[in-house]
Amino acid sequence: MARDETLEWGAPRRPEKKQPLAQRLFAYGGFDFPFMLIVTVLLCVGLVMMFSASYVNALKHENDAYYYIKRQGIFAVLGLVTMLGLSKVNLNVLRGLAIPAILVAFALLAAVLFYHTNFGEFRRWLPIGSRANPILTLQPSELAKMALILFFAYAMEKFQRPSYALSRDAGLISGRGTRIRRFALRWWSTGLYMAVLLAMVALIYLENHISGMVITLGIGALMIFIGEQRIPLWIYVALVGAGVLVVMTVLKNPSILPEHAAARIESFKDPMSDLQGAGWQTYQSLLAVGSGGWFGQGWGKSIQKHLYLPEPQNDFVFAIVCEELGFVGAFVILLLFIALVWRGFMIALHTKERFGSLLVIGIVLQVGLQTALNIGVVTAVLPNTGIPLPFFSYGGTALLMLMAEMGIVLAVSRVSREIKR
């Protein structure tokens, strides 16, 4: 009896008859077309706007107006191929990758601390080839976010029912020390999630990558909140209170952060205090957003991208969107992101397997969180933390991983129940 209950609450039962190899490796059935359409539109619009934002800077610094768009285009094509390929992968294959993925992520996060590109105090990029002139650079924090989502979804399905309940039903908890053993069995999986999350956040912090740390912490905390059913509400309230206290402390005394982050906090508190230094980028971003008006200056007609706004193809590409397309165009793009997140949640809610549901929730939460934080930075609602805008900001590793995540969502949608169109 205990064995049956364990199977009921643990991982899904394996069929008695061994499935053909193709069925074990590949997913069948149609994927969610509305989600695919939204992703395609965002990718195309993102490439167009990234090119518009980048060509002046590329011509000035790289002597080639197409420098950034050519590289981003290559990763976009690779991303589309990766997305379509992963959309055919069976969920059991993804389950099997969960533990290797988190181990590889930790190995890369540790390796980049010792072997990284020579870019000041930042240790975010792992060079492929020589450090001075690498063939390609890899950003381990981007892989780590996906690995964390995959591992959490796997573990939260595997440990769905508290271990102490299974042990009690099997007659393994009795006699002296029952309360202590029950506590340990009940909370060890929660401790595992917290340990993995905090260790990953610590490694990313050592890279001087505050934005990556914030996103990773946000994804992990939200997934624990959604997927870990045994934590009382008061603990979440206490953690939120502690987070607010930390934020208030940092705002009051930014010097506790690394020098570059402290300067950004100071400029956030008063953007006009250092217009020639840390406040320059935020100030130029606000000029771009404000000059767009309702309908914008027209595509390609931004003024701030003419070497006023530093690196406009990266974290501040949305400022150029606002300047060229105006409030209406920016609002339509924002609606596309909202539609992507909403459709992802619909896929998750109609998915039969807990693993697939949590996987999709984690992925769309990442997209939604990054979008909200990026727009908050561009509009000076939040400090400048260097958070990229999904589909729009320049970055090959980020785009490739994002498209891989979209492919995983499509793979899950193949095994979902029918969703109302």
Side-chain angles (χ1 to χ4, degrees), residues 19 45 93 96 113 192 282 291 302-303 356 363:
Q19 292 178 322
V45 175
V93 175
L113 297 176
L192 171 66
T282 300
S291 63
S302 164
I303 296 174
I363 289 171

Side-chain angles (χ1 to χ4, degrees), residues 179-296:
R179 184 173 298 179
I180 296 174
R181 286 198 294 271
R182 183 183 299 168
F183 178 85
L185 288 168
R186 179 186 179 98
W187 292 102
W188 81 268
S189 58
T190 305
L192 171 66
Y193 308 144
M194 295 299 296
V196 169
L197 177 60
L198 293 177
M200 183 171 286
V201 167
L203 286 172
I204 295 174
Y205 177 79
L206 293 175
E207 299 175 5
N208 278 333
H209 193 184
I210 302 297
S211 60
M213 183 192 75
V214 170
I215 292 293
T216 304
L217 185 61
I219 295 168
L222 287 171
M223 285 197 72
I224 291 173
F225 177 75
I226 293 170
E228 184 64 357
Q229 301 171 342
R230 71 205 69 170
I231 301 178
L233 181 61
W234 68 266
I235 293 182
Y236 289 113
V237 174
L239 290 174
V240 170
V244 171
L245 184 62
V246 169
V247 171
M248 292 176 64
T249 303
V250 169
L251 289 175
K252 188 175 180 179
N253 186 19
S255 60
I256 62 177
L257 294 175
E259 185 178 349
H260 71 281
R264 291 177 177 181
I265 295 295
E266 291 289 359
S267 68
F268 165 71
K269 293 165 66 175
D270 184 5
M272 305 301 171
S273 63
D274 187 16
L275 290 182
Q276 299 302 315
W280 175 261
Q281 197 169 27
T282 300
Y283 177 64
Q284 296 299 326
S285 174
L286 291 175
L287 286 179
V289 172
S291 63
W294 283 98
F295 300 103

Side-chain angles (χ1 to χ4, degrees), residues 18-97:
K18 192 173 182 179
Q19 292 178 322
L21 181 62
Q23 291 185 16
R24 283 183 281 142
L25 295 180
F26 301 107
Y28 294 91
F31 56 65
D32 190 77
F33 182 75
F35 186 87
M36 172 69 172
L37 181 62
I38 297 168
V39 170
T40 304
V41 172
L42 279 171
L43 179 64
C44 293
V45 175
L47 287 172
V48 170
M49 291 311 305
M50 200 282 295
F51 171 61
S52 177
S54 68
Y55 71 82
V56 175
N57 192 56
L59 187 60
K60 171 68 176 177
H61 298 288
E62 305 295 342
N63 202 30
D64 179 6
Y66 301 96
Y67 178 84
Y68 293 114
I69 189 61
K70 285 190 295 188
R71 282 155 178 76
Q72 193 79 341
I74 291 172
F75 279 100
V77 172
L78 291 174
L80 280 170
V81 173
T82 303
M83 179 182 72
L84 293 174
L86 285 175
S87 73
K88 290 291 294 180
V89 172
N90 192 291
L91 292 188
N92 287 325
V93 175
L94 296 175
R95 281 191 185 91
L97 292 175

Side-chain angles (χ1 to χ4, degrees), residues 339-403:
L340 181 76
V341 174
W342 172 80
R343 195 64 192 176
F345 272 104
M346 290 300 100
I347 293 171
L349 290 173
H350 290 81
T351 300
K352 301 173 185 177
E353 300 186 39
R354 180 175 169 84
F355 170 73
S357 181
L358 288 170
L359 197 54
V360 173
I361 287 173
I363 289 171
V364 297
L365 279 175
Q366 176 191 337
V367 175
L369 188 61
Q370 279 194 215
T371 302
L373 292 177
N374 176 271
I375 294 174
V377 168
V378 167
T379 54
V381 175
L382 296 171
N384 183 0
T385 52
I387 295 174
L389 182 64
F391 299 104
F392 284 73
S393 294
Y394 175 74
T397 306
L399 182 61
L400 189 59
M401 289 306 303
L402 179 64
M403 296 302 291

Side-chain angles (χ1 to χ4, degrees), residues 112-152:
V112 78
L113 297 176
F114 303 97
Y115 186 73
H116 51 82
T117 55
N118 297 318
F119 192 69
E121 60 186 356
F122 301 103
R123 298 182 289 273
R124 304 178 185 178
W125 295 276
L126 192 67
I128 309 299
S130 68
R131 298 177 70 173
N133 189 24
I135 302 171
L136 189 68
T137 58
L138 183 68
Q139 194 168 9
S141 59
E142 292 296 333
L143 281 72
K145 287 184 286 190
M146 184 60 236
L148 182 71
I149 293 169
L150 188 63
F151 176 75
F152 271 17

